[in-house]
């Protein structure tokens, strides 16, 4: 499992996702709003369908989803957002991709650059990092899942691969377009799903073994994810469970 996937799991266990639920819903609503500008019908707009599925997986209410769609289609007043992917490096040569939706490019660019500057990272030119990543569907399960059960449920629903991780958890890989269909199949099979998303996944991982680098990387991730305009942060670090637990404490 990549370091970023481990980081998502640790945040879930620490309850960080619950504490930030309001911020998460605001970001999801913005994604839906932008996707709906190309059409408000989920059956004919696959980008909107994915955004809505992601919101429902996070337990966002139908009313909030409908309001976001209406803002996007112009039925209600909404902002004008621009999609930007920033690229950068954290300590240890770790590559980062920062997915942004903003109504002010100059403000957000300055904020992202300031985070890197203050916390020991650096911005990169467009294309310097992105070639290392491709978008994939990734589902992480809880502990104690029966291997035969998850293999059957996931592969029958269209998953590409199921990998067992340390501690009895599993990582399910899919095409981005079917990740929430596979999640629904796992839910129906009674399998605990910690997270389901379609992130940018690195082809090759960068090992991180130094405690100082580990803490600096996680500080940058937290600062970026806390920014209202940042939708997702993707990285290519590989860190042991023990080091990450210490660095995240």
């Amino acid at each position: 499992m990549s370091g970023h996937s481990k980081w998502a799991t640790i945040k879930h266990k620490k309850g960080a996702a619950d504490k930030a639920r309001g911020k998460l819903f605001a970001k999801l609503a913005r994604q839906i709003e932008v996707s709906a500008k190309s059409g408000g019908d989920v059956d004919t707009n696959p980008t909107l369908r994915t955004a809505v599925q992601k919101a429902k997986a996070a337990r966002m209410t139908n009313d909030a989803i409908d309001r976001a769609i209406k803002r996007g289609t112009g039925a209600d007043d909404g902002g004008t957002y621009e999609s930007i992917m920033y690229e950068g490096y954290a300590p240890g040569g770790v590559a980062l991709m920062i997915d942004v939706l903003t109504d002010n490019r100059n403000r957000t660019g300055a904020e992202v650059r300031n985070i890197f500057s203050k916390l020991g990272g650096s911005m990169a030119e467009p294309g310097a990092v992105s070639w290392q990543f491709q978008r994939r569907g990734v589902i992480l399960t809880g502990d104690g899942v029966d291997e035969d059960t998850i293999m059957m449920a996931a592969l029958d629903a269209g998953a590409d691969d199921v990998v067992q991780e340390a501690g009895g958890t599993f990582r399910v890989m899919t095409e981005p377009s079917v990740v929430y269909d596979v999640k629904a199949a796992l839910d129906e099979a009674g399998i605990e799903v910690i997270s389901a998303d379609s992130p940018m996944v690195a082809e090759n991982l960068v090992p991180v073994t130094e405690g100082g680098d580990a803490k600096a990387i996680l500080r940058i991730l937290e600062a970026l994810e806390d920014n209202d305009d940042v939708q997702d942060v993707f990285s290519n670090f590989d860190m042991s469970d023990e080091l990450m637990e210490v660095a995240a404490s």
Side-chain angles (χ1 to χ4, degrees), residues 10 18 21 28 38-39 62 71 77 83 93-94 143 152 154 160 164 168 178 182 212 221 231 236 249:
I10 285 177
D18 292 334
R21 186 166 295 274
L28 291 170
S38 301
N62 288 332
R71 288 195 300 272
D77 290 337
S83 177
V94 168
D143 301 336
M152 182 177 297
D160 295 333
Q164 187 167 13
V178 301
V182 176
L221 288 179
Q231 303 301 299
N236 68 342
S249 62

Side-chain angles (χ1 to χ4, degrees), residues 43-61:
D43 293 327
T44 59
N45 185 342
T47 304
L48 176 61
R49 181 168 62 251
T50 298
V52 168
Q53 289 175 324
K54 184 176 180 179
K56 288 184 175 180
R59 299 183 181 177
M60 189 171 174
T61 67

Side-chain angles (χ1 to χ4, degrees), residues 20 34-36 92 114 116-117 124-125 132 143 156 162 178 180 186 193 201 239 245:
V34 171
S35 300
N114 186 50
F116 276 109
S117 177
E125 294 296 321
Q132 303 178 57
D143 301 336
D156 284 352
V162 179
V178 301
Y180 294 106
L186 298 183
V193 173
V201 177
M239 191 184 301
E245 290 282 359

Side-chain angles (χ1 to χ4, degrees), residues 207-217 239 243 247:
V208 176
T209 58
E210 295 295 328
D213 285 348
K215 285 184 175 293
I217 291 165
M239 191 184 301
L243 180 57

Side-chain angles (χ1 to χ4, degrees), residues 84-237:
I84 307 170
M85 187 73 79
Y86 292 110
E87 303 179 29
Y89 291 100
V94 168
L96 298 177
M97 295 185 66
I98 304 98
D99 186 11
V100 163
L101 287 175
T102 179
D103 58 359
N104 188 323
R105 172 189 282 262
N106 292 335
R107 180 199 67 226
T108 305
E111 290 173 350
V112 170
R113 189 175 298 279
N114 186 50
I115 289 170
F116 276 109
S117 177
K118 286 176 59 179
L119 298 179
S122 61
M123 296 284 283
E125 294 296 321
V129 165
S130 59
W131 63 271
Q132 303 178 57
F133 293 80
Q134 64 172 332
R135 194 168 292 279
R136 298 285 288 145
V138 181
I139 300 170
L140 302 177
T141 74
D143 301 336
V145 177
D146 178 72
E147 183 174 5
D148 290 338
T149 300
I150 189 171
M151 290 287 289
M152 182 177 297
L155 297 178
D156 284 352
D160 295 333
D161 195 17
V162 179
V163 180
Q164 187 167 13
E165 307 286 353
T169 65
F170 286 85
R171 172 168 46 93
V172 181
M173 304 297 295
T174 78
E175 289 297 317
S177 59
V178 301
V179 62
Y180 294 106
D181 296 328
V182 176
K183 177 189 179 299
L186 298 183
D187 289 338
E188 188 173 346
I191 296 168
E192 179 192 11
V193 173
I194 290 177
S195 66
D197 206 349
S198 50
M200 299 295 288
V201 177
E203 297 283 349
N204 298 296
L205 301 180
V206 174
V208 176
T209 58
E210 295 295 328
D213 285 348
K215 285 184 175 293
I217 291 165
L218 297 191
R219 281 199 300 267
I220 290 175
L221 288 179
E222 284 187 300
L224 289 169
E225 290 171 352
D226 195 48
N227 185 285
D228 290 340
D229 295 334
V230 173
Q231 303 301 299
D232 286 299
V233 184
F234 310 114
S235 60
N236 68 342
F237 67 88

